[in-house]
Amino acid sequence: MIDYRLTLEERPGYLHAKVAGERTPENAMRCLDEVYAACVRTGLANVLLEMAFTGPSLGAPGIFRVIEHASANGARLGRIAYVEASLDGLQRAKFAETVAVNRAVNVRLFEDAAQAAAWLATAPKR
């Protein structure tokens, strides 16, 4: 079993999701599937997603695989604020953001959760 932990907390106007574990395409897809299901269940369209995976960054093929898997559901949400905890993963996170935006996902990468939450606070009510 691949190491994986996801915590979800409902906040006013958004779902706060924190994930940690081994950085694999499977863990990333599992996380995004579970977060989307929680958004549907709670009726919250906006997400603050804090990614704290460890291990080597995913290469371009892995990133494309994850985004291709999750982009249809991601495009159904309002705003997705994404915080990458790993400093060495920031370049890949920026690349993932671009790939997702090109697939109609309203996602933005932030340096920290406070900035991400501030962006979500300005989201139109849905």
Side-chain angles (χ1 to χ4, degrees):
M1 181 69 168
I2 295 174
D3 183 33
Y4 173 90
R5 291 172 310 287
L6 176 66
T7 59
L8 302 169
E9 183 181 339
E10 290 182 46
R11 299 270 178 96
Y14 67 93
L15 182 71
H16 190 165
K18 293 181 183 181
V19 64
E22 186 181 345
R23 186 184 328 272
T24 65
E26 294 75 21
N27 275 350
M29 288 185 284
R30 177 180 172 188
C31 167
L32 295 173
D33 288 346
E34 290 179 9
V35 168
Y36 178 74
C39 287
V40 170
R41 187 174 59 253
T42 61
L44 293 168
N46 300 313
V47 178
L48 195 167
L49 183 57
E50 287 190 78
M51 303 285 257
F53 287 126
T54 58
S57 294
L58 299 180
I63 291 170
F64 275 113
R65 185 172 149 214
V66 170
I67 301 301
E68 192 64 32
H69 172 84
S71 60
N73 286 341
R76 292 183 187 104
L77 296 175
R79 290 183 176 184
I80 302 170
Y82 172 36
V83 178
E84 171 61 54
S86 167
L87 291 178
D88 63 335
L90 282 179
Q91 283 305 107
R92 295 293 185 174
K94 289 176 184 174
F95 176 69
E97 175 190 39
T98 300
V99 172
V101 166
N102 288 340
R103 284 161 179 75
V105 179
N106 188 10
V107 60
R108 188 176 297 173
L109 180 64
F110 291 90
E111 291 182 13
D112 61 50
Q115 292 174 347
W119 181 62
L120 292 174
T122 66
K125 302 299 179 219
R126 290 180 71 170

